[in-house]
Amino acid sequence: MSFDLRYLGKSGMKELGGGAALSFAPNLARPRVFFDGELARPVRFREAISALHDVVVGDLRRLPKDRSAHEAWKQQEAEREARLRREIHGEAMKAELARLGNAPLPRNLEADFRKMHKLYWGARVRWANELAKSDPQLFRHLVPCDPVVTVAPDVVFFECFSKDESSYGCLSVDRDAFRGAQDAGLGTTNVDYSLALYEHFQTLRSYRPTRLLVDPTGFEVAVEGRDDYREEKIDLPPSWLRGFGQLQAAMCLPCRRVEVPVEAVYSLLAHLDRHRERTGPRSLRFQLTPGKAPILVLDPWGVSIPCRGVTCDDVPVAVGPAAGGGGLGPYRSGAPRGAPAAEATEEIKVWGRRRLSVLARLLPLADRIEVRLLGSGLPSLWIVFMGEMRFTLALSGWTANDWTSGSHLDVMADAFTPDAQLADRVVRHLEMVRRASYGELAVSMGAPDGALRSALHLAAKQGQVVYDHAAECYRCRPVMPVALSDALLGPEPPELAEGRRIARGGVEIAREETLSGGRRVVMARAKATSCELLLDTDGAIKKAKCSCSYFYKNRLRAGPCRHLLAVKLHLSGRGDAAPSQQPPEAEAAPRGTRAATAAPRGEAVPFPAELLVEIERAAAAQRVGLAEVVEASWDLAFERIQGCRSWVEALALGGPEAERALRARELRAPVIRTLPVHADVLVEIRRVADQFKASPAAVVGLAWLVARRSTK
């Protein structure tokens, strides 16, 4: 998309009588937006806007090997050769000039110069165009997109993306944070941004009055022909545009809300700063037990950081119009409605934790921190509350993955058939009121819950609406002067396109089962591929399983595969809001990442004879079957074992007992038990056994020892 930028002057610090003004130059190609107010706490704003700068320039992608010493030697050799060439060339030039003497200049010298000049600039333009098409990542570095500023009746907020498009930052400043009278023109615009502006941020002091100014001068005077007026035309990569939409799609998914003490984040960042992991896994685990304090676990060290003073709230938040003006709408925290109070510990893993270092400058100013977790491997949101300011850091599933990889994340929610007219009504309503909670929108629009959520998803993907998690409301924020249509965003992901095609006649529902709390398990075949889904009370995918290669590689981290999408579309298309009326079974609840569909016949599971007695005792103590202990142990240990590079490294996860009992890899005379273990568990066990050239019995024993050690 070609995007026009027109600026009068540059953003920077201006000296005023008795103080200073931090002036931002707005984009004159967009509607008139301005703001002028004195900051009540300049230092707090300085630290918050500096953290936003860290998001803008953040790039944690893997760097190439350091060859600086070799390159320095090559440069010295090149300089020595160049010096020798210059000396020889100088002597030859003197000889040639002596020969030419006073000969006249060529008559066509000026014409030849213009011809070569045109040839050079033509090649340069063609190179830039080719770069934009063939290497958008490098082009994104050469042509950065300026931050977006929105002036609303109650808040002024700045938004930006990181260089690698894996992090999103938003700084919200309440209008109450400004002293005295304020002059404002509501709307959204881009502001001129440069690295030099970051240095101006550092000059803010509490003893010097400072004004925040989105300068309206360019809208009020004739700017054509002025020396400080400039126009830029950049081609925004489709990934940048989709990123804003996908970010909001991720933020609109049902999530768990966890309050993390500031001192816990201190401990987290301090440990990451002092230690460098050499092996995987590199995840940050949230262990959530209802009624108990959350625990953060840093892998691979197994360091536990308790969140003292807070507990996991397992009470659901009201949804829909009945929630009134302050409800979260479909974005609830806690367990599903109707779920039993005493539920097993839930563990959610997120990756790319070193990106949290941008929060370091904010911790001395933070009152509290909230984390919104969408699920393991899915995006997460960290909200830092600092009095009248809030900083939201949204991270993709892992550092190397941007917001637009894979299929759309919003299809995990029930938002497949959006009403474009209803979405347009929502946008027009928000343009008038500027902000509204989900309950207020439901009352104003008079639309069913599912239709309203679908319309909000569509408006968010088009860049017209943003959901403010800190204030728990929707806001009007047109990220571009026009709505982002499918033509601008490019074709939809192939998984989504194939899912729509399969849903038109290739889905067979084999079984549906209602679980406790209104959840349901759906087992189906999509184009001869078996898959299972666990849907919550809002119809969103909570867990899933599919036998295709896409799901094996990505799970749900890049969105559902085509077969899960087809089943979801099939259920939505038939208007199946209520699950089939089958009696819930106590043993049907999913465990780990697999829907618990115990095989009708038993499977042969090999055990090390030396460890079997201990495993059976643990099962008896927990009053569960041996199959449940095997599956639970495998769920905890599978990813950690698979991430090891050798069998010796994997044994280290299980401690000294594993190194003593399982060093031989091939165990003789294993004990075979016939258990109702899910077939996928056995497939994964055999795959890991082949990876390390070990027997399946050794892998089962190692998984038990690793799981036992991690839960101590």
Side-chain angles (χ1 to χ4, degrees):
M1 175 182 177
S2 181
F3 186 45
D4 290 329
L5 295 175
R6 301 175 187 173
Y7 294 121
L8 179 64
K10 292 181 176 293
S11 300
M13 188 72 70
K14 298 180 179 178
E15 295 296 332
L16 300 177
L22 184 59
S23 176
F24 292 94
N27 182 11
L28 303 182
R30 301 192 61 170
R32 187 173 188 263
V33 177
F34 61 93
F35 182 80
D36 185 5
E38 182 181 347
L39 287 166
R41 294 178 175 85
V43 173
R44 178 176 291 180
F45 181 81
R46 179 192 70 194
E47 298 302 307
I49 200 71
S50 297
L52 197 69
H53 166 82
D54 292 338
V55 175
V56 173
V57 301
D59 190 354
L60 295 183
R61 290 171 290 192
R62 180 173 295 178
L63 298 177
K65 185 177 180 180
D66 184 12
R67 301 179 180 272
S68 56
H70 177 64
E71 294 298 330
W73 174 81
K74 288 172 59 179
Q75 184 177 359
Q76 291 177 359
E77 291 297 308
E79 291 176 353
R80 185 178 64 83
E81 182 178 349
R83 186 170 58 253
L84 183 60
R85 288 179 179 273
R86 285 195 300 269
E87 293 175 357
I88 297 175
H89 180 268
E91 295 176 358
M93 180 65 70
K94 291 178 181 179
E96 183 67 15
L97 290 175
R99 186 182 66 82
L100 292 176
N102 296 324
L105 295 175
R107 291 179 298 176
N108 59 343
L109 178 62
E110 185 68 21
D112 289 343
F113 168 75
R114 292 180 179 178
K115 180 180 178 181
M116 294 298 104
H117 187 269
K118 182 178 180 180
L119 181 65
Y120 163 74
W121 280 105
R124 180 168 176 173
V125 170
R126 289 193 300 272
W127 170 80
N129 294 335
E130 180 63 25
L131 182 63
K133 296 178 182 178
S134 60
D135 196 345
Q137 290 186 348
L138 181 57
F139 187 75
R140 175 74 174 87
H141 281 270
L142 297 179
V143 188
C145 298
D146 290 328
V148 176
V149 177
T150 300
V151 180
D154 60 329
V155 72
V156 178
F157 60 94
F158 302 76
E159 298 174 274
C160 70
F161 269 113
S162 64
K163 279 187 176 181
D164 55 11
E165 294 183 4
S166 70
S167 304
Y168 161 89
C170 177
L171 171 61
S172 301
V173 184
D174 289 342
R175 296 284 289 271
D176 296 338
F178 300 92
R179 294 193 183 102
Q182 304 169 20
D183 190 14
L186 306 183
T188 301
T189 186
N190 304 87
V191 293
D192 173 60
Y193 188 83
S194 63
L195 295 178
L197 183 60
Y198 173 76
E199 302 300 330
H200 290 303
F201 294 156
Q202 311 313 309
T203 64
L204 297 181
R205 297 293 184 269
S206 59
Y207 58 79
R208 181 173 58 180
T210 304
R211 304 191 68 83
L212 178 63
L213 177 64
V214 180
D215 195 353
T217 304
F219 298 103
E220 301 169 350
V221 300
V223 297
E224 298 291 342
R226 291 184 52 162
D227 294 337
D228 55 351
Y229 173 73
R230 67 187 191 280
E231 294 186 7
E232 301 176 23
K233 185 181 290 290
I234 62 174
D235 290 328
L236 291 178
S239 62
W240 192 91
L241 299 172
R242 285 197 302 267
F244 268 93
Q246 284 304 296
L247 166 68
Q248 184 58 23
M251 293 169 69
C252 289
L253 289 173
C255 60
R256 291 295 302 269
R257 179 170 56 187
V258 180
E259 187 169 344
V260 179
V262 177
E263 58 270 19
V265 181
Y266 263 119
S267 301
L268 168 66
L269 297 182
H271 191 278
L272 291 176
D273 185 56
R274 296 170 183 169
H275 301 82
R276 176 65 63 174
E277 57 277 78
R278 297 183 179 179
T279 61
R282 295 174 172 84
S283 60
L284 172 62
R285 289 185 282 146
F286 288 79
Q287 295 181 350
L288 310 176
T289 304
K292 297 183 180 180
I295 299 177
L296 309 183
V297 182
L298 277 170
D299 290 327
W301 308 285
V303 175
S304 297
I305 303 175
C307 299
R308 295 183 174 86
V310 297
T311 58
C312 292
D313 183 13
D314 213 37
V315 180
V317 177
V319 300
L328 278 175
Y331 321 116
R332 66 177 188 277
S333 65
R337 287 166 286 185
E343 194 171 311
T345 299
E346 178 183 6
E347 185 172 85
I348 299 178
K349 298 180 181 180
V350 295
W351 282 264
R353 58 202 179 186
R354 292 197 177 273
R355 292 173 290 176
L356 295 174
S357 60
V358 302
L359 302 179
R361 296 190 65 162
L362 305 180
L363 296 183
L365 308 172
D367 300 327
R368 60 189 182 92
I369 298 176
E370 278 188 8
V371 183
R372 306 292 174 93
L373 300 170
L374 278 68
S376 292
L378 294 177
S380 59
L381 291 90
W382 299 69
I383 307 174
V384 182
F385 293 84
M386 304 171 289
E388 69 281 358
M389 300 183 192
R390 292 165 300 279
F391 186 90
T392 301
L393 177 66
L395 305 176
S396 60
W398 59 94
T399 305
N401 178 46
D402 59 31
W403 289 99
T404 59
S405 294
S407 60
H408 284 218
L409 290 171
D410 60 343
V411 298
M412 295 179 65
D414 194 11
F416 286 107
T417 55
D419 185 345
Q421 294 183 351
L422 179 58
D424 186 59
R425 286 175 52 205
V426 169
V427 173
R428 291 201 306 268
H429 177 74
L430 286 174
E431 285 178 349
M432 292 186 297
V433 300
R434 289 295 171 179
R435 59 163 288 175
S437 68
Y438 180 81
E440 292 170 344
L441 286 174
V443 173
S444 301
M445 297 295 103
D449 181 68
L452 179 58
R453 284 191 285 120
S454 299
L456 288 169
H457 274 289
L458 177 61
K461 286 199 300 180
Q462 292 178 343
Q464 303 300 298
V465 171
V466 64
Y467 183 74
D468 186 349
H469 268 268
E472 298 178 354
C473 68
Y474 284 94
R475 297 186 183 276
C476 176
R477 189 268 283 135
V479 67
M480 290 290 145
V482 296
L484 302 179
S485 62
D486 293 338
L488 295 175
L489 298 177
E492 63 183 6
E495 292 298 311
L496 182 55
E498 281 297 312
R500 296 186 190 278
R501 186 181 64 80
I502 296 173
R504 287 195 287 266
V507 176
E508 298 179 3
I509 303 297
R511 180 184 173 193
E512 289 185 60
E513 189 170 338
T514 304
L515 306 178
S516 60
R519 299 171 298 170
R520 54 175 171 153
V521 173
V522 179
M523 285 145 278
R525 292 181 63 84
K527 200 179 179 181
T529 301
S530 300
C531 54
E532 302 177 12
L533 296 85
L534 173 63
L535 305 176
D536 68 1
T537 52
D538 291 324
I541 301 176
K542 301 300 293 181
K543 297 178 183 177
K545 183 190 70 174
C546 185
S547 57
C548 69
S549 59
Y550 182 91
F551 183 84
Y552 172 75
K553 179 180 179 181
N554 301 293
R555 302 293 176 176
L556 290 176
R557 293 186 290 265
C561 67
R562 62 188 62 183
H563 308 103
L564 297 175
L565 288 172
V567 176
K568 187 75 165 58
L569 285 166
H570 177 80
L571 295 174
S572 300
R574 74 184 191 187
D576 192 9
S580 57
Q581 299 301 319
Q582 298 182 12
E585 300 176 8
E587 298 296 327
R591 188 174 189 88
T593 58
R594 290 172 289 275
T597 55
R601 58 183 179 82
E603 300 284 351
V605 181
F607 290 89
E610 188 173 349
L611 299 176
L612 179 58
V613 175
E614 184 179 355
I615 298 175
E616 290 177 336
R617 288 175 181 171
Q622 299 174 21
R623 297 183 180 181
V624 296
L626 192 60
E628 291 183 274
V629 173
V630 172
E631 290 189 348
S633 301
W634 189 248
D635 286 338
L636 288 173
F638 170 51
E639 293 184 353
R640 300 186 65 186
I641 297 176
Q642 189 182 40
C644 296
R645 291 174 292 184
S646 66
W647 181 249
V648 175
E649 184 180 332
L651 289 178
L653 299 176
E657 187 174 355
E659 296 179 355
R660 177 183 57 81
L662 306 175
R663 181 173 291 276
R665 299 194 190 189
E666 292 289 340
L667 299 182
R668 297 181 180 180
V671 181
I672 307 298
R673 290 283 191 268
T674 302
L675 304 173
V677 175
H678 202 287
D680 279 2
V681 174
L682 297 180
V683 171
E684 292 171 348
I685 290 174
R686 296 189 189 101
R687 186 179 296 120
V688 173
D690 293 340
Q691 175 184 346
F692 296 114
K693 295 181 174 57
S695 63
V699 174
V700 172
L702 178 60
W704 157 252
L705 293 175
V706 173
R708 185 188 66 176
R709 193 180 187 191
S710 64
T711 55
K712 282 186 178 180

